[in-house]
Amino acid sequence: MPEAPPEILFLRTMHPLIEAAFAGRFTVHRLAEAADPEARLTEIGARIRGLCVGGQVDAALMDRLPNLEIIANFGVGYDAVDAVEAHRRGIVVTNTPDVLTDEVADLAVGLVLATLRRLPQADRYLRAGHWPKAPFPLTASLRERRVGILGLGRIGRAIARRLESFGVEIDYHGRRPQADVPYAYHDSLIGLARAVHILIVVAPGGAGTKSLVDAPVLQALGPEGILVNVARGSLVDEAALIAALRTGTILGAGLDVFENEPHVPADLAALDNTVLLPHVGSASEHTRAAMAQLVVDNVVSWFEGRGPLTPVAETPWSPHA
């Protein structure tokens, strides 16, 4: 008698490519479609061996899934998954690095330009019929600006490479200096902010980086400064940022992420010196399909006995383990 296919749980609706690839290969349970999700989880929890997510996975959920083997995260950032706890339980966690690097880097550079040159504001100005009455006000420029990158990982490096073509100087801050890059390293974030005109946040989220960009950092960035965040909203003290934007402590901000997504503070949305996007850094059809394929490849590889393709640092895997 053939072995029953592994049972996989989706906490929310997943990309159609994942749905199509899993059909016939796995038994898939969709918690978001259950009339009573709690009762459904109690019913199937012990049978679940794989979990596909794009949100929170904590110890309490792992308790409900005692035979869980793999958590496949749809996204490069996995701060919502308690990977340390997963490792303690022998569960591997995977994410989707590399495939979204270029897309997010492209958007980060676009957000820098849109914020500096006030492109959405200029668009609104034209549509409102103001141009025949007076030219749009002059804006700041990327010329003679120094850019600081917080977090020189895959995406940070891709952003830096793109910005090199604009002829700007690039500095960075991270846990340690990197010998293979030509950029100036700062051993403190406040030192980086003080040295640059534009601060781009690309560091991982999580408890260790919460509110890393706070009032003193914004003060150091200064009245000509621009903050761009394409990482996680948790890295920026949102109340301090609103105050800095209101008072002219910094010039402007371009944000793709927020502390309490999808809810954005009305005080932030009301400010005209911001460009605000609904977390669309990797949201192209091409890149989301590539991310979905990597989720599929990780799960298939795991259940075929070949191990995960992209395990996260907290859950390293070796075929000899």
Side-chain angles (χ1 to χ4, degrees), residues 29-282:
H29 302 277
R30 300 166 183 84
L31 201 61
E33 297 178 4
D36 185 341
E38 282 297 314
R40 185 65 173 152
L41 196 56
T42 298
E43 176 190 351
I44 65 172
R47 306 201 307 265
I48 298 301
R49 296 172 61 193
L51 181 62
C52 291
V53 299
Q56 185 173 14
V57 181
D58 56 15
L61 178 57
M62 294 180 212
D63 285 342
R64 308 284 295 275
L65 309 172
N67 295 304
L68 186 62
E69 300 171 27
I70 183 170
I71 300 170
N73 185 70
F74 184 84
V76 66
Y78 56 94
D79 46 294
V81 177
D82 190 341
V84 173
E85 178 64 18
H87 180 59
R88 190 185 71 80
R89 297 172 185 239
I91 302 167
V92 69
V93 178
T94 65
N95 65 341
T96 60
D98 297 321
V99 294
L100 51 68
T101 296
D102 287 333
E103 207 74 79
V104 177
D106 289 348
L107 183 119
V109 174
L111 201 45
V112 168
L113 295 172
T115 306
L116 269 174
R117 298 300 311 277
R118 295 174 55 81
L119 300 184
Q121 293 89 336
D123 177 88
R124 293 195 295 267
Y125 186 89
L126 181 149
R127 292 175 189 274
H130 297 316
W131 190 14
K133 304 169 190 173
F136 186 72
L138 299 180
T139 69
S141 170
L142 192 56
R143 308 283 70 73
E144 300 181 0
R145 296 256 169 170
R146 197 172 192 98
V147 178
I149 298 177
L150 170 58
L152 200 68
R154 293 180 179 92
I155 297 173
R157 285 173 174 241
I159 292 169
R161 288 194 298 271
R162 284 158 172 76
L163 288 171
E164 284 180 8
S165 66
F166 289 89
V168 298
E169 296 294 325
I170 298 168
D171 297 16
Y172 72 101
H173 169 68
R175 287 188 293 268
R176 64 188 67 86
Q178 301 184 34
D180 61 339
V181 297
Y183 318 125
Y185 175 73
H186 295 261
D187 60 9
S188 72
L189 176 55
I190 202 160
L192 175 67
R194 192 174 290 120
V196 301
H197 306 94
I198 300 164
L199 178 61
I200 304 176
V201 180
V202 212
T209 57
K210 183 170 175 55
S211 297
L212 198 59
V213 180
D214 56 11
V217 169
L218 295 169
Q219 185 74 41
L221 188 57
E224 295 300 314
I226 295 287
L227 176 72
V228 170
N229 188 3
V230 293
R232 286 288 186 266
S234 61
L235 279 99
V236 176
D237 181 333
E238 221 160 65
L241 176 60
I242 291 169
L245 290 164
R246 277 177 170 168
T247 60
T249 300
I250 65 171
L251 183 63
L255 308 173
D256 186 43
V257 289
F258 304 90
E259 278 191 316
N260 188 29
E261 295 178 6
H263 307 290
V264 178
D267 288 346
L268 186 57
L271 293 169
D272 191 50
N273 54 347
T274 60
V275 177
L276 309 178
L277 304 179
H279 202 155
V280 294
S282 65

